[in-house]
Amino acid sequence: MSDSAPEPRPGAPKGVPLGTGARRWLFRPPRRHGEVDPDRSVSFLELFYDLVYVVLVGQAAHTLAEHFTWRGTATFAVVFGLIWIAWLNGTHSTNCTAGRTATPGP
């Protein structure tokens, strides 16, 4: 084994080892309470999606309140898990693209 860094994949940016940017972003120290990130903004579409998920969770909770049994609780847990995974996927996609949308090529 050598002490040198592994070779980057074909097509990866030259000069920056693969994963360096993500590692730096993940292991950065947290912001202080109340400190605002001036580069971060939230679009109306992102807020609308969050509102849709709030309504979905509310509907699932309403169904649980009507059917408060072990089976109803299990059903709520499954539905809530699916809603949470969908929300997490949408949030992760939005944060990775930083609000940019894909534009068709020429």
Side-chain angles (χ1 to χ4, degrees):
M1 276 194 126
S2 67
D3 291 333
S4 64
E7 291 292 322
R9 294 187 318 210
K14 302 287 189 263
V16 177
L18 186 64
T20 301
R23 191 172 296 123
R24 186 178 306 136
W25 184 82
L26 286 172
F27 294 113
R28 69 178 184 227
R31 291 190 312 262
R32 292 178 182 252
H33 179 71
E35 184 179 332
V36 177
D37 185 6
D39 298 329
R40 177 73 172 122
S41 64
V42 180
S43 69
F44 288 111
L45 185 60
E46 189 176 355
L47 292 174
F48 176 72
Y49 282 150
D50 287 343
L51 181 61
V52 167
Y53 288 118
V54 167
V55 170
L56 286 172
V57 170
Q59 288 295 321
H62 181 71
T63 303
L64 174 63
E66 289 178 351
H67 305 286
F68 196 64
T69 61
W70 287 109
R71 184 177 179 144
T73 303
T75 302
F76 173 78
V78 169
V79 170
F80 180 81
L82 292 172
I83 293 170
W84 181 66
I85 289 170
W87 175 81
L88 203 66
N89 185 29
T91 301
H92 179 69
S93 298
T94 303
N95 287 341
C96 285
T97 60
R100 296 183 307 270
T101 57
T103 56

